[in-house]
Amino acid sequence: MKSLEIHLIRRPTGMPSADLFALEEVALPKLQTGQALIENLYLSVDPYMRECMDLEEEWPLHTPLEGRSIGRVIDAGSSGLNVGELVFHREGWRSHAAVAAEELRVLKEYPGVSASAFLSIMGGTGLTAYVALSRIAKLQAGEDIFVSAAAGGVGSAIAQLARLMGAGRLIGSTGSAAKARYLTETLDYDFAIDYHSQDLSQALGEAAPEGFDIYIDNVGGKHQEAAIRHIRDHGRIAWVGAVGQYNHAESPELARNLYDIVGKSLRLEGFLVRNYRHLQDELEAFVVPHLQSGRLQPQQTVREGLENMAQAFVDMLAGANLGKMLIKLA
């Protein structure tokens, strides 16, 4: 058997392209003491990866890349695991990985729940949304929420979890008319803004003439500025990411009204989901019954084949996905 790996062969300038990556065929990795051989089933495609492309310490050239992955143990070696167990690990962008037992997590398989959910609504994406709502924004029943990048992985999870938590009005911003329809018709957003065809701040003011309580920020820049302008006094901003800035690291677009945070007594807090991994069991206990009942539907765009991962990554950065972008391996 052979293993397939994707390597970064050149660093990007601005928006990356698929030709910065190369698909390599290599021998299956040999197991070291304490390692298990994992055959990957699903790979996660995430916005944070764009920042990693610029950093040698994050993504060295000509090596397999890091990324969230779901796979099964096909050789337990001396790891103490069992062949066939479903596991989560971070040795992505490859078909097989040798992973030390302490660097992976054995997953509980739930009847009626796809393994891919551990990379979307039950994975880092869902945990990010859960933490943003329950710990950072501290959502209370009936409160109104504005979400940027609302059709992406986190945005789609925010909408569904917020409804289950009793949120009031949901307002989402996205980049096309088709995605705006997806927000209202599939995700049950009350109001959708297409910021490419509408003036963002004006549209947000029309959608929420009396403001809103919480802003979940996946974009930064002009979206953050508009949110600060229209959020109610004593509102909360959970800053998840800044996907609109990742290709412009040298000249980021910043909100010009940050001092209004003081005048309106707002609270803005950023966070990294890796600091909240202890809430994984709590997340699963909350979402699994709703997944099994069908009330909660993982929102995923799934591309098949490792050879298509680089293009899927580029497409995700360009907003071509609805919900979480995943790669399914044969």
Side-chain angles (χ1 to χ4, degrees):
M1 291 179 63
K2 295 288 186 179
S3 177
L4 293 176
E5 301 175 344
I6 295 182
H7 296 184
L8 181 68
I9 57 174
R10 296 191 309 280
R11 302 208 180 276
T13 300
M15 184 69 177
S17 55
D19 62 5
L20 299 176
F21 301 87
L23 183 67
E24 304 286 347
E25 184 179 83
V26 299
L28 277 179
K30 294 183 179 180
L31 294 182
Q32 305 297 318
T33 301
Q35 289 185 326
L37 183 62
I38 311 301
E39 183 176 29
N40 286 332
L41 304 176
Y42 291 95
L43 304 177
S44 181
V45 184
D46 295 291
Y48 80 85
M49 293 172 169
R50 173 61 187 87
E51 290 186 294
C52 296
M53 294 182 74
D54 294 330
L55 304 173
E56 174 65 24
E57 63 270 24
E58 294 286 347
W59 274 11
L61 297 179
H62 306 292
T63 61
L65 305 175
E66 180 271 351
R68 300 182 182 112
S69 312
I70 301 296
R72 288 199 184 276
V73 177
I74 59 172
D75 185 345
S78 60
S79 67
L81 300 172
N82 298 310
V83 171
E85 284 187 302
L86 189 70
V87 296
F88 168 90
H89 63 91
R90 301 193 69 95
E91 300 295 317
W93 296 74
R94 68 200 87 186
S95 62
H96 298 78
V99 188
E102 63 269 18
E103 295 177 356
L104 53 77
R105 175 166 55 94
V106 177
L107 301 175
K108 181 179 179 180
E109 298 191 60
Y110 297 98
V113 179
S114 169
S116 65
F118 282 104
L119 290 180
S120 57
I121 195 65
M122 292 200 303
T125 297
L127 187 58
T128 297
Y130 186 75
V131 170
L133 292 168
S134 68
R135 296 309 199 271
I136 308 302
K138 295 181 171 64
L139 171 65
Q140 300 298 309
E143 289 188 317
D144 302 326
I145 305 175
F146 170 49
V147 185
S148 56
V154 172
S156 61
I158 286 285
Q160 296 190 86
L161 296 183
R163 285 296 185 213
L164 294 173
M165 295 177 181
R169 297 186 74 231
L170 295 180
I171 304 162
S173 173
T174 190
S176 71
K179 285 189 172 183
R181 290 192 297 273
Y182 169 71
L183 295 187
T184 56
E185 295 174 4
T186 301
L187 296 180
D188 198 27
Y189 274 89
D190 295 288
F191 197 94
I193 299 169
D194 172 7
Y195 66 87
H196 280 150
S197 65
Q198 297 174 272
D199 180 276
L200 175 62
S201 185
Q202 179 181 338
L204 184 55
E206 293 171 354
E210 298 180 0
F212 45 89
D213 304 288
I214 293 169
Y215 171 46
I216 308 297
D217 191 356
N218 294 297
V219 176
K222 290 182 178 178
H223 276 79
Q224 189 177 91
E225 182 174 311
I228 292 171
R229 180 174 296 121
H230 295 285
I231 197 169
R232 294 171 184 144
D233 288 0
H234 304 285
R236 290 94 74 200
I237 300 172
W239 199 347
V240 174
V243 68
Q245 315 297 309
Y246 293 158
N247 292 318
H248 309 285
E250 295 180 358
S251 56
E253 185 179 72
L254 302 176
R256 297 168 295 179
N257 58 348
L258 287 176
Y259 191 69
D260 288 348
I261 292 174
V262 176
K264 301 180 79 170
S265 298
L266 307 179
R267 181 166 61 82
L268 184 155
E269 183 176 349
F271 70 97
L272 294 173
V273 71
R274 67 179 179 226
N275 295 326
Y276 291 86
R277 290 173 182 162
H278 60 283
L279 297 179
Q280 180 65 38
D281 289 344
E282 181 179 315
L283 171 68
E284 291 180 28
F286 181 70
V287 303
V288 165
H290 297 298
L291 288 169
Q292 292 175 325
S293 71
R295 186 178 181 189
L296 185 59
Q297 297 287 335
Q299 299 298 309
Q300 301 171 168
T301 296
V302 182
R303 303 275 180 89
E304 295 200 8
L306 186 64
E307 68 276 9
N308 294 314
M309 187 164 184
Q311 188 60 53
F313 172 63
V314 173
D315 291 346
M316 179 271 302
L317 291 176
N321 56 302
L322 294 176
K324 175 70 177 177
M325 179 72 88
L326 298 175
I327 295 297
K328 180 180 180 180
L329 303 184

